[in-house]
Structures are given as structure tokens and as C-alpha cells.
Amino acid sequence: MTHGRDRALIDRFLEMMTAEAGAAANTVAAYRSDLSLASQALEGGLVEANADALATLAGEWSALSNATVGRKSASLRRFFAFLADEGHRPDDPGNALPRPGTVRALPRILSHADVDRLFAAIAERAARDPLDPNDLRLSALFELLYGSGLRATELVSLPRNAVHPDRPFLILRGKGGRERLVPISDRARAAVALWRTHVATDRAWLFPSGKGHLSRIRLYQIVKALAAEAGIPPDRVSPHVLRHAFATHLLAGGADLRALQSMLGHADIATTEIYTHVDSSRLVELVNTHHPLADMPPR
């Protein structure tokens, strides 16, 4: 039987997968099955599982196909990342799970033209008379999502005074408690300054909602709505896709991979290297143009 605390958190995770990641019904059903079976197999449930318990669980999958093992591992890793992001456990033991024949999927990205259309839609809203303060919030959200590559959780939970008018960077504490500096453009600081005049000084968050801050699910809905308004299929756009666009477009502009790793808060450069596959044409051009042997005739 699924552990009680696991059951509630699995429900919340699947709600997030449906609303924020746009997961199809079959995908959600597969996640629920994998997570429920794992919860039943682990003595303390998923919330209490450590790396050794997961390694033991994975050992019981030896008779399964690589595809099935890969799917089960992916389900559990994503769930543990969710638990860590939401503060339900201090660590993420997902690395103890196997990755049989893993071929990492390339991230979905937006073109420069797509991004231009999104910001044109924001500018059109900002030009309305009378001005809706929520359009100022929309501008600040998108400037920080695309301009700085923030994770959705990092963005919605920014303190009211996190963006300083005279400081071109943020200090964020991301996954695993790691601190990093994130550059903030002049555009983003200006957009935040305009929005903050509509946030009461006694509010703790830059993007307040109710007694707390804007939820990730609400942010996802806001992004989808603007995509539709800009004439872009909403299933192509999400907060995470805008983060991917930030990374890919920076790399295309010649950004250093290590600098990009630092800005994105990736613990492993291998995670950042996925963008070299997305923008391989730009890398080939850089090698052909700037490599010391580029001007030498072939043998």
C-alpha cells in the first residue's frame, strides 16, 4: 500500500506535472503507477528513502527491459527533484537510480523571432491606457525569465527587494543550497522597479499573491496566456522553455560554457553541455573562424 505522506505528495507532484509541464493523461498515469509501486516497495516510503534504499530497489528491476527501467528511474528522479525543490527533503537521492542507455533529449527552445513576438505583446499591453498594473508584473516576470534564466521557483519566490536598482546581479540560493550570481540587465531592473511601485512595502515577496507569493502553476498559466496572445502555440512555451532560450541564445552569442554553467546554477557542466548540441551550427562556425588552423590550407 502507498505510504500516506507519499500519496499526498504524489498527488501534488502530478498536479504540477499536469499544470506546469503539460503532461498528457497517459504520462501522468505512468508516473502514478511507477511512484505508487516504488512507495509500496520501500519500507519507509519515498519521502524517507536514501540512496542505498533506491539502489536496492533498482536491483529488483534486473529482469525488466532497459526501456522500462529507464522510465521508472526517470519517474523517481523527477519526483525526488520535486521534493527537493519544494523543501520536503533536504537532498535529492535520484542519482542512485540507473540510467540504462540514456539518450538525453534536447530541450525545446524558442527562436529570436518567437521571443521578439512575446515582448512585442508585452509592449502592446504596456501601451494601453489606462495601464493595468498586472501588465507591469508581466513585463518584470518575462524580463527575469528570459533575461536572467531564472528557474520558475527562484523567480516566484524572490524577496521584494531582491533586485537592487544599483546592482546588476542577484545572489540566489538554488538547488542543493548552492549560491550563485545571476546577471540582471538594465531592462530587467527597470521593469522590476516599475512593478515594485505597485507592491506594498510590507509585502515580503516581489510577486505577492494572497498571503504568499505567486505560485509556479500560476506563472505557467501566465506564460501560456501570453504565448497564445503573441500567436505562438502555448504548448511550445513555458517558464523552463524561456530558461532554455536564455541559455541557447547566450551560447549562440559566444558566451563561455563555464560562465553559462555558473549563471544557470548547474552543478555539473555536463548538464550545461546539452546546449552545445542545440546550437552546434554556431560552434562549428566558431571553430572554423577562430581556430589557429582555420587559415591553413588543407593537406
Side-chain angles (χ1 to χ4, degrees):
M1 183 175 178
T2 306
H3 289 258
R5 189 179 175 197
D6 282 355
R7 188 181 305 111
L9 289 171
I10 288 171
D11 286 342
R12 289 180 60 182
F13 167 71
L14 295 177
E15 178 185 349
M16 181 276 294
M17 287 291 295
T18 301
E20 185 172 320
N26 288 345
T27 301
V28 171
Y31 271 107
R32 185 179 295 280
S33 175
D34 290 338
L35 295 172
S36 297
L37 289 172
S39 176
Q40 294 167 27
L42 292 164
E43 184 176 348
L46 290 168
V47 177
E48 304 297 331
N50 57 25
D52 290 340
L54 294 183
T56 300
L57 174 65
E60 299 174 3
W61 299 341
S62 58
L64 303 176
S65 68
N66 280 352
T68 300
V69 172
R71 191 203 70 230
K72 286 179 174 291
S73 290
S75 299
L76 290 174
R77 279 197 302 272
R78 192 151 192 178
F79 181 66
F80 284 119
F82 165 79
L83 293 182
D85 281 348
E86 296 294 310
H88 296 294
R89 57 179 299 154
D91 63 334
D92 181 351
N95 285 335
L97 294 162
R99 299 173 182 264
T102 299
V103 177
R104 192 163 189 174
L106 295 178
R108 290 180 295 167
I109 61 169
L110 296 171
S111 67
H112 285 285
D114 290 331
V115 173
D116 287 345
R117 288 160 69 185
L118 290 170
F119 280 97
I122 293 172
E124 186 175 332
R125 282 189 173 207
R128 294 173 182 171
D129 187 16
L131 176 66
D132 183 345
N134 282 331
D135 292 335
L136 296 178
R137 182 184 70 172
L138 182 70
S139 177
L141 287 169
F142 269 76
E143 289 288 353
L144 291 170
L145 273 175
Y146 176 69
S148 299
L150 300 187
R151 296 182 176 97
T153 300
E154 294 168 343
L155 175 61
V156 298
S157 61
L158 284 175
R160 185 183 186 280
N161 295 315
V163 179
H164 195 280
D166 299 321
R167 190 174 62 194
F169 60 85
L170 279 173
I171 300 176
L172 290 180
R173 188 180 298 274
K175 290 184 177 180
R178 294 183 296 273
E179 284 192 346
R180 74 183 194 276
L181 291 180
V182 177
I184 302 294
S185 69
D186 292 342
R187 281 176 52 123
R189 281 185 291 157
V192 168
L194 284 173
W195 160 243
R196 192 163 45 208
T197 62
H198 294 272
V199 180
T201 56
D202 61 347
R203 299 305 296 265
W205 312 106
L206 180 58
F207 301 107
S209 179
K211 295 182 179 179
H213 57 67
L214 192 71
S215 70
R216 291 193 308 174
I217 291 175
R218 181 63 187 132
L219 174 64
Y220 175 90
Q221 293 168 341
I222 290 170
V223 169
K224 294 287 185 183
L226 185 72
E229 192 174 317
I232 302 171
D235 61 356
R236 289 184 50 218
V237 188
S238 72
H240 208 60
V241 168
L242 286 163
R243 175 173 156 88
H244 287 320
F246 160 83
T248 306
H249 296 167
L250 267 185
L251 190 63
D256 175 78
L257 199 62
R258 285 288 182 185
L260 187 58
Q261 176 193 5
S262 175
M263 285 185 279
L264 292 171
H266 290 160
D268 188 346
I269 188 106
T271 307
T272 318
E273 285 173 345
I274 190 69
Y275 298 106
T276 66
H277 300 291
V278 173
D279 195 49
S280 57
S281 61
R282 167 66 178 168
L283 296 180
V284 170
E285 179 188 344
L286 287 172
V287 170
N288 288 335
T289 304
H290 299 293
H291 193 279
L293 300 179
D295 295 329
M296 294 184 64
R299 294 183 178 180

